[in-house]
Amino acid sequence: VWIDLHTAPGSQNGFDNSGRALPVPTGLGWSSAPDNVDRTVRAVADIARGIKEAGLSDVVTGFGVLNEPFKGENAGVVKDFDDRAFEAVRDILPPTTAVYIGDMFNASSFQGFWNDEAHAHTYLDSHYYHVFASAPRGFSPRQHIAYVCERNARDLAGCCWSSPSSRSGAPSPGMGRIMGEWSASFDTLVCAKLDDVMAAKADTGRFAEEDRTIPEDRKKF
């Protein structure tokens, strides 16, 4: 089991899964408040301690210290938090516990970070979705594939290499790469329809568009 802390005081991204859905995504309520950052480090330590005391360190083998800190935050604050959270996990759980961090939606900005053997068993985590912006939702299947192979693949390769200034070559002896979230949903923004879907379930016993079929023209490559 790899756990992932999604909610930080003040909200690290303004997304609903951070505990505070804001009109415009931002993590400044977290990163610009040192007390909130400090509290999050303590939360990471408390969770790690709970895992150890419950005898679950052989079950929980990975720890995401903070899900999706947003791209508009101070990168120095985020990376300092990552350092402190990493130390908190390493002080409590086995040294082989995987520690993974969010890429702030810009993997290349972490090239050269944690680039040493002391940070073995750490990973930069990227999340790729095609449903949260209007333009990709209109893509054909072929365009979605091209988007993955070009833009997403380029971002994925933006980190983590052994040479701090390189974008290729040998992998870093420290932090590696994972893609921790993605979705097969490609043309419907599910969260925008959630209220209607659940209301239909309450009224009729069936989810709205439960039997939805994709029009033939949307299937065409």
Side-chain angles (χ1 to χ4, degrees), residues 35-122:
D35 288 348
N36 285 341
V37 177
D38 292 345
R39 185 178 169 194
T40 310
V41 174
R42 293 195 300 270
V44 168
D46 287 345
I47 294 169
R49 196 171 296 110
I51 293 167
K52 179 179 180 179
E53 292 174 354
L56 295 174
S57 58
D58 61 336
V59 176
V60 180
T61 58
F63 199 134
V65 296
L66 188 61
N67 178 69
E68 296 182 347
F70 201 58
K71 56 188 176 183
E73 296 178 60
N74 183 317
V77 172
V78 174
K79 290 179 178 180
D80 180 68
F81 163 80
D82 290 335
D83 283 336
R84 295 167 62 197
F86 168 79
E87 293 297 335
V89 174
R90 282 288 180 267
D91 285 346
I92 298 167
L93 296 178
T96 54
T97 302
V99 176
Y100 59 104
I101 61 176
D103 66 355
M104 298 182 69
F105 302 96
N106 181 12
S108 64
S109 66
F110 283 83
Q111 170 59 20
F113 187 61
W114 288 3
N115 192 29
D116 54 64
E117 293 182 1
H119 289 91
H121 307 294
T122 65

Side-chain angles (χ1 to χ4, degrees), residues 112-173:
F113 187 61
W114 288 3
N115 192 29
D116 54 64
E117 293 182 1
H119 289 91
H121 307 294
T122 65
Y123 301 90
L124 184 69
D125 181 22
S126 293
H127 299 169
Y128 299 126
Y129 291 94
H130 292 187
V131 296
F132 294 121
S134 58
R137 287 199 297 274
F139 287 172
S140 69
R142 185 182 296 277
Q143 287 172 320
H144 278 287
I145 293 169
Y147 193 83
V148 170
C149 293
E150 295 174 14
R151 180 168 177 171
N152 293 154
R154 184 170 61 250
D155 182 76
L156 192 67
C159 187
C160 303
W161 306 98
S162 59
S163 173
S165 60
S166 176
R167 296 294 184 271
S168 62
S172 166

Side-chain angles (χ1 to χ4, degrees), residues 157-221:
C159 187
C160 303
W161 306 98
S162 59
S163 173
S165 60
S166 176
R167 296 294 184 271
S168 62
S172 166
M175 187 164 64
R177 292 290 275 127
I178 58 173
M179 185 174 69
E181 292 185 21
W182 70 96
S183 175
S185 177
F186 67 89
D187 72 335
T188 299
L189 185 59
V190 179
C191 58
K193 304 180 71 172
L194 184 60
D195 289 345
D196 292 339
V197 169
M198 298 309 294
K201 177 67 173 177
D203 291 342
T204 68
R206 293 176 62 86
F207 292 112
E209 299 190 35
E210 185 174 308
D211 299 322
R212 172 179 179 254
T213 58
I214 299 175
E216 289 302 318
D217 64 332
R218 289 293 287 124
K219 297 179 183 179
K220 292 178 182 178
F221 274 67

